[in-house]
Amino acid sequence: MGFEGRSVVSIKDFTREELDYILDVAEAMEPLYDKGSDMLRGKVLALLFFEPSTRTRLSFEVAMKKLGGATIGFAKPEATSVMKGENLADTIRVVENYADAIVLRHPREGSARLAAEFSKKPIINAGSGAEEHPTQAMLDLYTVRRERGRIDGLNIGLMGDLRYGRTVHSLAYALSLYKVRLYLISPPELRMRREVLEEIEGKIPVVEVSDLSEVLPELDVLYVTRIQKERFADPLEYERVKGSYRVDLKALEGAKEGLIILHPLPRVDEIAPEVDNTPYARYFRQVRSGVVVRMALLALILGAVR
Ligand code: CP
């Protein structure tokens, strides 16, 4: 399907057929999660993380290693020549000599696009400021399909910080390619960005509400996000919305049977720990999906699977 050598900058660069194919390849990778493979032996993946990460960095690293490849990189820029003033374009033009593909997390919106313009090697966007996190959306789609058996026909709620949360931006774009009804649940200050709404409205039905109780009985999937404290320019603005929503057992009274709750993690206080042991909670299983989806993506981009 033509993935070899391709960058992953925005989920908007993918068609539904391409996303479905990535999910199919991820499913085929499931046995290799335990068994491993050497299909990427001799290949090197660079992990350039200019912002903190636990899941994305480690899951790319483990995905590459499970397929027999190697990784290089850094988890924070303090130990690199960025501290001497080296810019992103130069960093990319250097690292492309060491690696077959580059995973980039950066605080600036547009950073992945800029890196892809300068790089001869594929760039994989692992989070570009508050803009997008396309591989998270792929693993979110995979988790919904695996846990619910399908994506089409579902009522899906995205809840929390829809303004600064990059995962919900990519996921909303991706879901607009499927036959779903989308409920956007957030405090008024954290409503979905206009540019995302403009892109998805007209493709799928979208309902915006400020409280979970207004739509809970409709939902098949509830995707919760934390408030992205690090993105607020004004600390007072953050203080005003802090703690403004929380999913606990009481809030889930009246939920549809079969509801699943997802969260990209990390969680702060927006899902009470008492929810973790209910059949609703799938967010730790979602973490495992991140490995097989990234195995699939690396195998496709590096030409081991076509
Ligand atoms: N979901 C996610 O992006 O987590 P990390 O920030 O830990 O990578």
Side-chain angles (χ1 to χ4, degrees):
M1 204 178 260
F3 286 99
E4 188 173 0
R6 185 165 165 185
S7 287
V8 180
V9 171
S10 166
I11 200 81
K12 288 188 284 181
D13 299 336
F14 290 82
T15 64
R16 171 173 175 159
E17 289 67 34
E18 288 172 334
L19 291 176
D20 284 341
Y21 186 62
I22 293 168
L23 307 194
D24 291 344
V25 175
E27 212 165 283
M29 288 287 167
E30 287 283 349
L32 304 186
Y33 180 93
D34 292 320
K35 277 197 313 204
S37 158
D38 57 6
M39 68 171 76
L40 293 183
R41 182 173 301 280
K43 300 286 186 187
V44 176
L45 181 68
L47 302 165
L48 310 188
F49 277 69
F50 291 82
E51 277 193 333
S53 169
T54 298
R55 280 144 292 271
T56 311
R57 189 173 64 82
L58 294 180
S59 62
F60 266 115
E61 185 166 350
V62 80
M64 191 64 182
K65 288 179 175 168
K66 279 180 186 288
L67 296 180
T71 61
I72 56 169
F74 52 83
K76 47 186 177 182
E78 283 79 358
T80 73
S81 289
V82 169
M83 300 314 287
K84 301 175 202 162
E86 187 163 52
N87 65 30
L88 180 60
D90 284 0
T91 303
I92 294 296
R93 283 185 289 200
V94 169
V95 174
E96 70 181 9
N97 293 283
Y98 308 144
D100 298 286
I102 299 171
V103 177
L104 175 70
R105 171 169 289 189
H106 198 281
R108 271 211 318 271
E109 298 190 13
S111 51
R113 184 73 66 196
L114 179 133
E117 279 164 17
F118 281 92
S119 181
K120 295 188 188 72
K121 301 287 172 61
I123 296 290
I124 302 174
N125 182 1
S128 47
E131 179 187 41
E132 275 218 54
H133 193 347
T135 68
Q136 177 72 43
M138 291 172 188
L139 81 89
D140 295 337
L141 292 178
Y142 183 77
T143 310
V144 171
R145 197 174 88 165
R146 200 166 167 79
E147 299 290 334
R148 295 298 312 233
R150 64 198 163 95
I151 299 170
D152 285 328
L154 297 179
N155 291 341
I156 300 181
L158 305 183
M159 176 177 175
D161 185 350
L162 308 184
R163 180 175 171 194
Y164 296 117
R166 57 193 171 199
T167 68
V168 281
H169 299 156
S170 291
L171 185 54
Y173 291 135
L175 288 171
S176 73
L177 301 176
Y178 292 82
K179 293 182 176 63
V180 299
R181 180 177 287 270
L182 202 57
Y183 294 88
L184 303 177
I185 310 151
S186 69
E189 299 88 342
L190 301 177
R191 283 183 61 188
M192 183 59 90
R193 285 178 171 204
R194 181 180 297 275
E195 75 214 44
V196 180
L197 282 174
E198 283 172 359
E199 180 80 23
I200 64 173
E201 279 175 336
K203 293 184 181 164
I204 51 169
V206 178
V207 179
E208 287 190 278
V209 297
S210 56
D211 198 279
L212 177 62
S213 62
E214 295 174 61
V215 296
L216 178 70
E218 307 297 326
L219 299 181
D220 301 301
V221 178
L222 174 61
Y223 186 97
V224 186
T225 61
R226 79 182 163 92
I227 298 182
Q228 310 284 303
K229 182 180 179 184
E230 66 276 23
R231 307 273 176 232
F232 284 75
D234 177 359
L236 287 176
E237 193 193 357
Y238 169 71
E239 287 301 321
R240 274 196 292 276
V241 291
K242 189 174 93 176
S244 56
Y245 57 92
R246 181 171 166 88
V247 178
D248 54 19
L249 292 182
K250 187 157 174 36
L252 291 171
E253 283 172 13
K256 227 187 213 183
E257 194 174 334
L259 169 75
I260 62 167
I261 300 178
L262 305 181
H263 191 309
L265 303 176
R267 156 177 62 178
V268 183
D269 55 8
E270 60 283 351
I271 300 181
E274 64 189 13
V275 178
D276 296 358
N277 295 323
T278 68
Y280 303 126
R282 306 295 166 99
Y283 26 92
F284 290 111
R285 283 157 67 157
Q286 193 179 351
V287 173
R288 187 188 187 281
S289 300
V291 179
V292 287
V293 168
R294 287 172 176 134
M295 286 166 74
L297 206 50
L298 292 172
L300 287 163
I301 289 171
L302 295 174
V305 172
R306 285 169 204 282

